[in-house]
Amino acid sequence: MPRAGLSATHIVTEAAGIADTDGIEAVSLARLAGQLGVRVPSLYKHIDGLADLRTRLAVTGVRGLTEAVAAATVGRAGRDALLACCRAYRDYAHRHPGRYAAIQRPPDPHSPADQEYREHTDALLALVLTVLRGYDLDGDDAVHAARVLRSTLHGFVALEQLGGFGLPADLETSFDRAVDTIDAGLHAPRGKDTP
Amino acid sequence: MPRAGLSATHIVTEAAGIADTDGIEAVSLARLAGQLGVRVPSLYKHIDGLADLRTRLAVTGVRGLTEAVAAATVGRAGRDALLACCRAYRDYAHRHPGRYAAIQRPPDPHSPADQEYREHTDALLALVLTVLRGYDLDGDDAVHAARVLRSTLHGFVALEQLGGFGLPADLETSFDRAVDTIDAGLHAPRGKDTP
DNA sequence: GCTTTCAAGCTAATACACTTAGCCAACGAG
DNA sequence: CTCGTTGGCTAAGTGTATTAGCTTGAAAGC
């Protein structure tokens, strides 16, 4: 009875592959065990059930997203940084749809990976705040701006993945308009209507 | 053996109640049958399985959302209509989180309700385009603007429901800023950078 | 009023999926 | 070499969805 040499990271990586190719719904312990050449209960030696696996998937998703955005925005500032951030964000969601979808479900507080998840989401928020440096925002204004940016990015790719944009108008143009809109909004005077 | 007097709409309404109170994950045929005082296979006389039920739930969600936005924006125009639209959208998602979550999963093309679902999403898009009248947008420009608006709204409430806004800054202010940002972007010259 | 027909409930059975309990062999530390 | 730990396994239990086929309530037709 030889050993398969599994590990938690190995399992999560395989799960991420399934999610990216066949969708997040296709990630099951049964299929995972089958692909890893192992029986289902063996997975429990490394992960704490399905909920834990999903939380770990979310961790890899938000970590990969953070790394992609960080790599794209290093050394840039202002509008240049904003554009690079937005493109990297959407590009990651396109290349890893399953991992991105995994971060769209609330984490399980019982999972051992839950705290790690929260740390990584905080890191992503901090990174976005860094990207917004150069628009001379301070304190709560920066937080509000980061929320608006993240909302638009998340909403765009989420609707894209849902096929919610039925009309034939070009998606790239739509995305550029979204980024332009955010950029314009960041320059506009805050807390008042547009003049 | 008395009859329970079920119907498809009755079942879907009960499912929507479960989704709104305990989350979309809690909607199962077993629980549904229990609450309706009936055995599980009896549900199949009215709906075509779980996938069909979920698509029908999505239909009620997008229909309710459309009605809420329509009621809030009738008789308004320009920025006034935009603000009312955004508030009504977010308010509906807050009052019916389960129904709103139901429209975030792709519909099942095998479901009898699938075409109805597509019709209702088209109606919502048409309504948003109506709201944007008054910003003198035409053709593709209007479609792009509608996408940006929908992305931001969807992204904001989705992140809100995920608890993704960990920081203590006020959510109402953040939402107002998002609406201001969209409004400013709609006034900005299109297809070019901000001056 | 009786019959016929259909729809709406039911039981039974099947097929999966997740989870836990407990066993057994392989590997590493001493 | 031995022994403890770890990582695999089988077996069993629970919950869910789905299908097949039966049975009866209730309405439609004569």
Side-chain angles (χ1 to χ4, degrees):
Chain A
M1 193 187 298
R3 300 222 166 171
L6 285 187
S7 74
T9 62
H10 193 166
I11 292 175
V12 174
T13 303
E14 192 79 20
I18 296 175
D20 283 341
T21 59
D22 289 0
I24 188 83
E25 307 287 334
V27 175
S28 70
L29 297 185
R31 171 154 178 195
L32 210 40
Q35 291 196 10
L36 291 169
V38 103
R39 302 296 189 142
V40 174
S42 306
L43 300 174
Y44 282 77
K45 296 289 180 176
H46 305 278
I47 60 172
D48 202 7
L50 189 60
D52 179 35
L53 174 66
R54 290 191 175 134
T55 301
R56 289 172 189 263
L57 251 182
V59 170
T60 71
V62 68
R63 177 161 44 195
L65 187 56
T66 305
E67 286 170 3
V69 172
T73 55
V74 63
R76 298 178 191 268
R79 184 188 158 79
D80 193 28
L82 179 71
L83 187 62
C85 166
C86 294
R87 293 205 175 284
Y89 190 106
R90 179 168 175 240
D91 193 52
Y92 182 85
H94 284 179
R95 282 196 332 236
H96 299 292
R99 286 168 227 236
Y100 187 77
I103 77 179
Q104 286 179 240
R105 44 182 77 220
D108 175 25
H110 297 86
S111 167
D114 181 67
Q115 182 169 358
E116 196 183 350
Y117 176 73
R118 298 186 187 284
E119 289 171 7
H120 281 287
T121 54
D122 288 352
L124 178 56
L125 175 62
L127 177 58
V128 173
L129 287 175
T130 305
V131 169
L132 290 180
R133 203 184 306 165
Y135 284 90
D136 72 333
L137 300 158
D138 48 359
D140 280 359
D141 281 337
V143 175
H144 294 311
R147 285 177 177 169
V148 174
L149 172 57
R150 216 183 135 200
S151 293
T152 303
L153 288 176
H154 175 69
F156 195 94
V157 300
L159 290 176
E160 218 176 355
Q161 287 186 353
L162 285 178
F165 293 140
L167 294 177
D170 186 46
L171 278 173
E172 309 304 317
T173 305
S174 289
F175 189 71
D176 289 346
R177 293 288 171 86
V179 178
D180 288 344
T181 301
I182 298 295
D183 181 63
L186 290 176
H187 284 108
R190 286 172 289 283
K192 300 185 289 189
D193 299 352
T194 359
Chain B
M1 193 188 299
R3 299 223 166 171
L6 285 187
S7 75
T9 62
H10 193 163
I11 292 175
V12 174
T13 303
E14 191 78 19
I18 295 175
D20 283 342
T21 59
D22 289 0
I24 188 85
E25 307 288 334
V27 175
S28 69
L29 297 185
R31 172 158 177 190
L32 211 39
Q35 290 196 10
L36 292 168
V38 103
R39 301 296 190 144
V40 174
S42 305
L43 300 174
Y44 283 77
K45 295 291 179 178
H46 305 277
I47 60 171
D48 202 8
L50 189 61
D52 178 36
L53 174 67
R54 290 193 174 132
T55 301
R56 288 172 190 263
L57 251 182
V59 170
T60 70
V62 69
R63 177 161 45 195
L65 186 57
T66 305
E67 286 171 2
V69 172
T73 56
V74 63
R76 299 177 190 268
R79 182 188 158 78
D80 192 27
L82 179 70
L83 186 62
C85 166
C86 293
R87 292 206 175 283
Y89 189 106
R90 180 168 174 240
D91 193 52
Y92 181 84
H94 283 179
R95 282 196 332 236
H96 300 293
R99 286 168 227 236
Y100 186 77
I103 76 179
Q104 287 180 239
R105 44 182 77 219
D108 176 25
H110 297 88
S111 167
D114 180 66
Q115 182 168 359
E116 197 183 351
Y117 176 73
R118 298 185 187 283
E119 289 171 9
H120 281 287
T121 55
D122 289 352
L124 178 57
L125 175 62
L127 177 58
V128 172
L129 287 175
T130 307
V131 169
L132 289 180
R133 203 184 307 163
Y135 284 91
D136 72 332
L137 299 158
D138 48 359
D140 280 358
D141 281 337
V143 174
H144 294 311
R147 285 177 178 171
V148 175
L149 172 57
R150 217 183 136 201
S151 293
T152 303
L153 288 176
H154 174 69
F156 195 93
V157 301
L159 291 176
E160 219 175 353
Q161 287 187 353
L162 285 179
F165 294 140
L167 293 177
D170 186 48
L171 278 173
E172 309 304 318
T173 306
S174 289
F175 189 71
D176 289 346
R177 294 287 171 86
V179 179
D180 288 345
T181 301
I182 298 295
D183 181 63
L186 291 176
H187 284 107
R190 285 171 290 284
K192 300 185 289 187
D193 299 352
T194 0

